[in-house]
Amino acid sequence: MLLLSVALGYRYAALRNENERIVNEARLQLERKVAQRTQEVRSALMQLEEAHGRLRDSSRRDGLTGLYNRTWFHEAFERMLDQARGERRPLSLLMIDLDHFKAINDRLGHLAGDECLRWAAHRIGKALRPHDALLARFGGEEFVVALPARDLPAAVAVAEEVRQTLTKAPCQAQGHNVRISASIGVHTINTEALDDIDDALEVADRALYAAKANGRDCVRTSISAA
């Protein structure tokens, strides 16, 4: 009986150890599966967030040029204006219109016109890169730029950089060398006034029309347009 009792004790201990081993292995496998599933869920959430981010960004972008669109510019400019007022710093606007663009479309076709628009958007963006500017396609062949912390003389200098950048070399479009120039209107906002973005755009637009009236391929300010 003693030997049987000892044998049963050993057998019980072995079964208990085997059971603990099985339980531990099952727990480890479960933990691995949970960790794997958790990582998969995190990865899926990150991909979903990235997709939402791309979707949000695409809704802000112009499909042809890749620049911000007019709606997004309005929203971003409102924030820039509030910040400029809070910091008592200047904020300037550039209205840029490509000269005689209808003639390019009529003479070379709209595909060439689209290539010219993309080329101009790239050239303008490159010229503005050092100036922390907000650039958007305003519509058609027109672009709008917000220049933070730039007073009127500084904004005019930036506008002149943009104008010269466009005229330095022709655009290659559909096998043609297309010379592109732009008329640019410049306006510096009085941040102490209660003018909103529409008021500022209207003044900058008048400066743009003054540039067109003065022969195009030039820069004019809201003061010279008054």
Side-chain angles (χ1 to χ4, degrees), residues 15 57 67 72 88 95 107 168 187 199 205 220:
L15 289 173
D57 193 59
L67 299 179
W72 172 246
R88 296 181 177 276
M95 293 292 289
R107 181 165 53 92
K168 276 181 181 177
H187 171 55
D199 297 323
D205 203 46
R220 291 294 181 271

Side-chain angles (χ1 to χ4, degrees), residues 106-121:
D106 292 343
R107 181 165 53 92
L108 302 177
H110 287 278
L111 289 179
D114 288 348
E115 287 188 31
C116 290
L117 278 172
R118 285 190 289 267
W119 178 89

Side-chain angles (χ1 to χ4, degrees), residues 10 34 39 105 115 120 129 153 160 183 189 192-193 222:
Y10 277 118
V34 169
Q39 183 60 36
N105 282 328
E115 287 188 31
R129 201 167 296 149
E160 188 60 30
S183 302
I189 299 163
E192 295 182 1
S222 51

Side-chain angles (χ1 to χ4, degrees), residues 16 36 49 74 90 93 129 178 184 186 188 205 208 220:
R16 185 181 63 185
Q36 181 182 355
E49 186 176 346
H74 271 259
L93 273 174
R129 201 167 296 149
V178 185
I184 305 177
V186 184
T188 298
D205 203 46
L208 169 62
R220 291 294 181 271

Side-chain angles (χ1 to χ4, degrees), residues 31-215:
E31 288 176 351
R32 290 193 196 102
K33 287 183 178 179
V34 169
Q36 181 182 355
R37 294 294 183 271
T38 301
Q39 183 60 36
E40 289 174 354
V41 169
R42 286 176 179 168
S43 178
L45 287 173
M46 286 179 63
Q47 291 175 9
L48 183 61
E49 186 176 346
E50 289 174 0
H52 283 164
R54 288 193 296 270
L55 182 62
R56 285 194 302 270
D57 193 59
S58 67
S59 69
R60 303 169 179 172
R61 298 282 180 176
D62 169 59
L64 178 63
T65 63
L67 299 179
Y68 287 116
N69 58 32
R70 182 172 183 164
T71 300
W72 172 246
F73 180 86
H74 271 259
E75 295 174 7
F77 186 82
E78 295 267 356
R79 294 190 292 271
M80 294 177 74
L81 183 55
D82 288 341
Q83 184 177 0
R85 283 172 171 156
E87 297 175 354
R88 296 181 177 276
R89 301 175 73 183
L91 178 63
S92 293
L93 273 174
L94 309 184
M95 293 292 289
I96 304 169
D97 192 83
L98 303 184
D99 297 326
H100 305 295
F101 199 78
K102 184 178 181 301
I104 295 174
N105 282 328
D106 292 343
R107 181 165 53 92
L108 302 177
H110 287 278
L111 289 179
D114 288 348
E115 287 188 31
C116 290
L117 278 172
R118 285 190 289 267
W119 178 89
H122 173 75
R123 299 283 288 187
I124 294 169
K126 186 176 180 181
L128 292 172
R129 201 167 296 149
H131 302 290
D132 196 27
L134 174 64
L135 169 63
R137 185 183 178 193
F138 205 62
E141 64 272 17
E142 195 169 17
F143 303 89
V144 62
V145 179
L147 282 171
R150 299 293 192 282
D151 60 12
L152 190 60
V156 168
V158 173
E160 188 60 30
E161 284 181 41
V162 171
R163 188 193 67 78
Q164 292 181 17
T165 294
L166 290 172
T167 58
K168 276 181 181 177
C171 168
Q172 301 289 329
Q174 298 288 301
H176 298 275
N177 288 333
V178 185
R179 292 285 176 181
I180 294 177
S181 65
S183 302
I184 305 177
V186 184
H187 171 55
T188 298
I189 299 163
N190 179 5
T191 54
E192 295 182 1
L194 297 178
D195 294 348
D196 60 16
I197 182 172
D198 291 326
D199 297 323
L201 287 170
E202 183 180 348
V203 178
D205 203 46
R206 288 202 297 269
L208 169 62
Y209 276 94
K212 286 187 170 296
N214 280 272

